[in-house]
Amino acid sequence: MKIRKAVIPAAGLGSRMLPAAKTVPKEMFPVADRPVLHYIVQEAVDAGIEEIIILTNRCKTVMHDYFDYTPELEEKLRAAGKHAEVAELRAIADMADITFVRQKQTLGLGHAVWCTRRIVGNEPFAVLLGDDLMRSKTPVIGQLISASEGFGAAAVGVQAVPRSEIGKYCSLDVTHREGNVYDVHGMVEKPRPEQILSNFAILGRYVLTPRIFEILENLPAGHGGEIQLTDGLNALCREEPMVAVDFEGERHDTGSLEGYFRAMLHFSAEHPRLAPVLAEFLAGRDKK
Ligand code: G1P
C-alpha cells in the first residue's frame, strides 16, 4: 500500500536546548536560512508524502504560522518588487497538506505517535522525528519507503553508533538480509551496557503499520516513565515483518547544542551567502 501520510513528532520540551528553546521551539531554530522543521517537511514531500501530521504542544503555535500565508508581508514585498521572495513564502505554505495535532501532556514519543491514530487511520505511515535533520542524496524516509514496499515490512532507519553512545538511543537485534537491509527481531530503548543487542540504533525515521496504534494503546510506561515508541516496535517486530535500513546520509541531532551547531556548519558550508563567511572565519580573516 502506498505510503501517503507522515507523522512528525515535534512536541518535546527542548530541555537540552535551554535557554533558547524556552520560547522558540527547537524545531524552529534556523539551520542556514530556514528552520529545522522546513527541512523535515521537505524530506517527506521529496519522498512523495501527500499529507503531513505535525505533533505540537501549547507552546509551539509558531509552527502553524510558518506553514500559513503571510498577506501583510507578501503585500510589502510585492510593493517593493520582491516577487521571488513572495513566491518563496507562498511555496512554503503550499508545500504539503499539514494537519496539527496537540499532544496535551508530554508522555513520550510512543504516546505522541498514538495521538495521531484517528488522522492516520488504517494505513501504513512514515514517522520523521522533528529534531533529527538529515543530509543525504536520496531522502532518508524515501529509502525506508522503498525498503518497506520492496520487502512488505515495516522499516526503521538505522546507523551503527559507537558502543559508548548507544545508551542515548535504542539498540537493535538484527540479522543481515541483503545489501544495507537487516531483519529486526527485537530492540531496547536507552540500553544499559549489559542490554546492548548491537551497535545499530534507530535514528529518527520509521515506516510503520497501523497495528502500532493498538500496541501503543496498551503499552505500559518504559524508560524515563514515558510511553516509548521503541517498546511498541519491539512488540510489533515480533508480530509482523520489520526491516532495518542502514541508510545513506548524515544525521544531525538538532535537539542538542553540539548537534545543532554541527548542522549549522554543514548546511552553512553549502549555502551561497554563508559559505564565504564561514571560510573567512576559518581562515582567521573574519571581516564582520
Ligand atoms: C528517540 C528514540 C530513540 C532514538 C532517538 C534518535 O530518543 O526514543 O529510540 O534512537 O530518538 O532518533 P530521544 O532522542 O527522544 O531521547
Side-chain angles (χ1 to χ4, degrees):
M1 195 176 184
K2 185 169 158 29
I3 312 289
R4 302 183 303 128
K5 299 182 180 178
V7 169
I8 302 181
L13 298 177
S15 50
R16 291 182 296 157
M17 291 295 270
L18 293 172
K22 185 178 173 188
T23 51
V24 179
K26 62 180 171 173
E27 295 83 2
M28 293 307 291
F29 288 3
V31 167
D33 61 358
R34 57 204 60 210
V36 172
L37 189 61
H38 182 125
Y39 294 97
I40 310 253
V41 170
Q42 187 75 60
E43 180 187 332
V45 170
D46 289 346
I49 295 288
E50 294 158 7
E51 261 186 81
I52 294 180
I53 301 138
I54 302 182
L55 259 301
T56 67
N57 64 30
R58 63 188 71 83
C59 304
K60 299 200 171 189
T61 46
V62 68
M63 297 199 300
H64 301 222
D65 300 340
Y66 186 78
F67 293 100
D68 197 354
Y69 290 145
T70 45
E72 284 178 9
L73 181 56
E74 286 172 25
E75 202 42 58
K76 279 256 178 220
L77 289 170
R78 230 175 260 119
K82 297 191 171 174
H83 299 288
E85 284 84 348
V86 173
E88 190 176 14
L89 293 183
R90 281 265 148 168
I92 294 169
D94 293 335
M95 241 166 137
D97 272 343
I98 302 183
T99 305
F100 292 90
V101 175
R102 288 261 179 126
Q103 188 189 19
K104 294 178 201 142
Q105 285 177 286
T106 310
L107 296 179
L109 181 58
H111 176 258
V113 170
W114 176 80
C115 289
T116 68
R117 68 201 177 285
R118 294 191 206 287
I119 297 172
V120 172
N122 191 29
E123 60 183 285
F125 63 105
V127 177
L128 301 88
L129 300 193
D131 52 10
D132 278 326
L133 176 56
M134 303 294 180
R135 265 175 86 238
S136 63
K137 291 194 207 87
T138 312
V140 173
I141 199 63
Q143 297 176 41
L144 265 65
I145 290 172
S146 302
S148 168
E149 288 170 350
F151 292 92
V156 291
V158 301
Q159 282 186 348
V161 303
R163 210 178 159 81
S164 57
E165 300 265 302
I166 198 138
K168 291 199 284 188
Y169 303 97
C170 55
S171 172
L172 270 62
D173 177 14
V174 293
T175 48
H176 187 234
R177 177 90 172 245
E178 60 178 66
N180 63 340
V181 178
Y182 297 76
D183 286 310
V184 181
H185 310 293
M187 64 185 77
V188 55
E189 178 71 7
K190 309 279 187 289
R192 294 189 299 275
E194 69 276 13
Q195 294 176 308
I196 295 173
L197 300 167
S198 76
N199 280 17
F200 279 127
I202 301 175
L203 298 179
R205 298 292 182 272
Y206 313 77
V207 174
L208 304 177
T209 64
R211 171 74 184 129
I212 192 69
F213 294 125
E214 291 163 353
I215 293 174
L216 291 171
E217 176 113 25
N218 300 306
L219 203 64
H223 185 271
E226 296 191 334
I227 309 290
Q228 294 291 349
L229 182 59
T230 302
D231 294 344
L233 298 181
N234 187 41
L236 185 67
C237 74
R238 287 156 210 273
E239 291 183 19
E240 294 181 0
M242 182 184 293
V243 292
V245 180
D246 185 1
F247 62 83
E248 170 276 311
E250 184 184 277
R251 171 258 184 184
H252 297 278
D253 174 14
T254 61
S256 81
L257 194 56
E258 297 79 3
Y260 172 67
F261 186 57
R262 275 197 200 98
M264 276 292 269
L265 292 171
H266 282 272
F267 282 79
S268 300
E270 289 175 344
H271 188 276
R273 281 169 55 200
L274 299 179
V277 179
L278 183 59
E280 278 161 18
F281 177 81
L282 292 174
R285 290 185 281 106
D286 185 22
K287 292 200 201 93
K288 284 200 283 297

